[in-house]
Amino acid sequence: MSTKQSNSLRIITIIAMMFLYAMIAFVTNLAAPVGKIWEQTFEGSAHAGVMGMMGNFCNFLAYLIMGIPAGNFLAKKGYKKTALTAIFLGFIGIAIQWLSGVFDSFFVYLFGALLGGFCVCMLNTVVNPMLNLLGGGGKRGNQLNMVGGTLNSLSGSLTPMLVGALVGQSLEGKSIDNVNVVLYIAMAVFAIIYLVIRLTPLAEPAGAGQTVVYERSPWAFRHLTLGVIAIFFYVGVEVGIPATLISYLKPMVGFAAAGFIAGRYWLLMLIGRFIGSAIGGKVSSRTMVICVSVVAIGLMAAAMAIGDSIMVKTFAQGEVIEVPLASTLLVLCGLCTSVMWGSIFNMATEGLGKYTAKASGIFMMMVVGGGIVPLVQSSIADHLLSYIVPIIGVAYILFYALWGSKNVNKDIKID
């Protein structure tokens, strides 16, 4: 293959990975309206809120179950086959969620959410190491993951808006049929993306899909082991900050306005990732994480300290309302968490060579933190006090960037 053909194939592969990055957020954020419908079917129960979160929990539980198998599948079958399998699982998962309305079964819905989680776990297992390898690792690999993360955030921000526009006030109803139009669109998107990826030639990294001899376990790399703990806390922090913010603001301004304000957190994540992608080729992952971790801890600590003592005016749902300044400080954390995912992944998988595919599966397994950490945080009655949980999580991430991310196992053969 000529150099020109090789470069063209590399660009096509990068573009394909970017689309898959967006699909991850699309699938994940579809869980919210469906979960809200089921929450209302349990209205009057003391556990209604928990039941409404069970779809989200299953979505993240899938990472724990599928993480290592996804890494093994990637190592044996290669990147393209893994991506196609993931997209197929996503289609089936959405179809089963639609069937949950036909059979009026909450457990069928949870099974569909679990399969959706399998899908996004496998997609994450593909796109993160692929972009890192296509960028040659280091700052360039981090930059490509930042660009992918920007599209992920854009998709994550637009999906709830799309759902809101299509569903409208139907969430006041109690039937899963009210969100069928959203599920139909999701299945159509999966079918189209499957055909596009299947018909598109993709560049596979050297050795992908071939039998590889592993002298050691990926867990032998200290920086990977500490990194998977960091990603457990990160995903929990990313999900827990805005979720608890909605619960905090709801009694003051109502659910709609609280959701609108919390949505700005995701918008700031989009902006932060855009900035991160612009500077990612010049600033190391380690430096980024150190800086944003310190700022995030400061913002959350300040929010807890001032509480409801200072009120500010803000615009939400077509009117000006008053909210605690603490909520604004928590929203600003979106700028900090925006660059953590790709940066932690790059630090954890840097210098792993042939172990990268298996390590990616282990890494994805710990995304289950997005289901566990928010539940721990929500168990604390005082919403502002509960932010001690994400503060602890970010403190560990800071420790990882400062010390734990150093590769001390360079004696292990990686080629």
Side-chain angles (χ1 to χ4, degrees):
M1 183 182 294
S2 67
T3 302
K4 184 177 181 180
Q5 289 176 316
S6 178
N7 287 335
S8 297
L9 187 57
R10 177 176 173 273
I11 292 172
I12 291 172
T13 304
I14 290 174
I15 294 172
M17 292 304 107
M18 296 301 176
F19 274 105
L20 293 181
Y21 230 133
M23 285 293 295
I24 292 169
F26 182 69
V27 176
T28 302
N29 283 278
L30 275 176
V34 182
K36 284 297 176 184
I37 288 288
W38 282 111
E39 179 179 330
Q40 291 182 81
T41 65
F42 292 98
E43 189 174 349
S45 167
H47 304 294
V50 174
M51 300 304 283
M53 284 291 290
M54 284 303 295
N56 176 74
F57 177 75
C58 285
N59 211 260
F60 284 103
L61 177 64
Y63 282 89
L64 182 63
I65 299 170
M66 196 65 181
I68 291 179
N72 292 335
F73 190 90
L74 176 62
K76 292 179 180 178
K77 300 296 183 180
Y79 287 76
K80 183 172 180 176
K81 287 185 179 179
T82 304
L84 289 172
T85 302
I87 296 168
F88 176 75
L89 282 175
F91 180 90
I92 298 300
I94 297 297
I96 289 176
Q97 290 184 54
W98 169 74
L99 285 174
S100 72
V102 176
F103 295 108
D104 193 26
S105 172
F106 181 63
F107 294 103
V108 171
Y109 157 65
L110 293 182
F111 181 61
L114 186 66
L115 285 184
F118 288 164
C119 163
V120 291
C121 175
M122 294 183 74
L123 287 180
N124 265 312
T125 305
V126 169
V127 299
N128 288 278
M130 177 67 101
L131 288 176
N132 194 35
L133 291 169
L134 289 170
K139 295 177 182 177
R140 178 61 177 163
N142 183 40
Q143 186 175 37
L144 285 180
N145 265 308
M146 288 295 175
V147 175
T150 301
L151 292 177
N152 181 274
S153 291
L154 178 61
S155 177
S157 300
L158 293 179
T159 300
M161 296 179 187
L162 172 65
V163 172
L166 293 173
V167 175
Q169 298 301 313
S170 66
L171 286 181
E172 298 301 324
K174 299 181 183 297
S175 173
I176 196 67
D177 295 340
N178 291 326
V179 292
N180 274 352
V181 63
V182 180
L183 301 180
Y184 294 150
I185 291 174
M187 285 187 281
V189 169
F190 270 109
I192 292 170
I193 292 296
Y194 182 90
L195 290 175
V196 170
I197 296 296
R198 188 172 185 83
L199 298 174
T200 301
L202 300 181
E204 293 276 353
Q210 300 177 12
T211 301
V212 179
V213 177
Y214 299 98
E215 294 80 14
R216 303 285 295 275
S217 164
W219 290 105
F221 293 89
R222 190 195 70 177
H223 69 294
L224 171 67
T225 300
L226 297 179
V228 296
I229 299 174
I231 211 64
F232 173 88
F233 282 118
Y234 162 69
V235 183
V237 168
E238 179 196 273
V239 174
I241 290 176
T244 305
L245 179 59
I246 294 176
S247 299
Y248 169 56
L249 291 175
K250 182 180 176 182
M252 306 179 197
V253 299
F255 180 80
F260 186 88
I261 294 169
R264 295 171 185 169
Y265 170 91
W266 300 105
L267 177 61
L268 287 178
M269 282 194 70
L270 170 62
I271 295 172
R273 283 175 170 170
F274 180 78
I275 296 172
S277 65
I279 67 174
K282 300 177 181 179
V283 181
S284 70
S285 301
R286 181 174 180 271
T287 300
M288 278 192 188
V289 174
I290 290 172
C291 292
V292 298
S293 296
V294 170
V295 174
I297 291 172
L299 288 171
M300 288 186 284
M304 292 174 62
I306 64 176
D308 302 338
S309 61
I310 303 176
M311 303 293 287
V312 295
K313 295 184 182 296
T314 190
F315 184 81
Q317 296 292 294
E319 60 180 338
V320 176
I321 60 176
E322 280 197 341
V323 295
L325 175 61
S327 65
T328 301
L329 298 179
L330 295 172
V331 165
L332 288 173
C333 288
L335 286 172
C336 302
T337 57
S338 63
V339 300
M340 288 183 177
W341 170 268
S343 296
I344 294 173
F345 181 86
N346 281 1
M347 288 188 289
T349 59
E350 190 73 24
L352 296 188
K354 65 183 180 182
Y355 292 92
T356 300
K358 281 184 171 290
S360 180
I362 294 172
F363 193 83
M364 295 310 150
M365 180 181 70
M366 298 308 289
V367 175
V368 69
I372 296 176
V373 175
L375 285 179
V376 174
Q377 185 178 357
S378 64
S379 68
I380 300 176
D382 187 315
H383 295 307
L384 281 181
L385 180 62
S386 75
Y387 279 93
I388 190 64
V389 175
I391 284 178
I392 292 172
V394 176
Y396 176 83
I397 293 170
L398 176 59
F399 152 78
Y400 178 68
L402 287 170
W403 180 77
S405 59
K406 183 179 178 181
N407 185 359
V408 298
N409 303 108
K410 296 182 178 180
D411 57 316
I412 300 177
K413 185 179 178 181
I414 61 171
D415 51 21

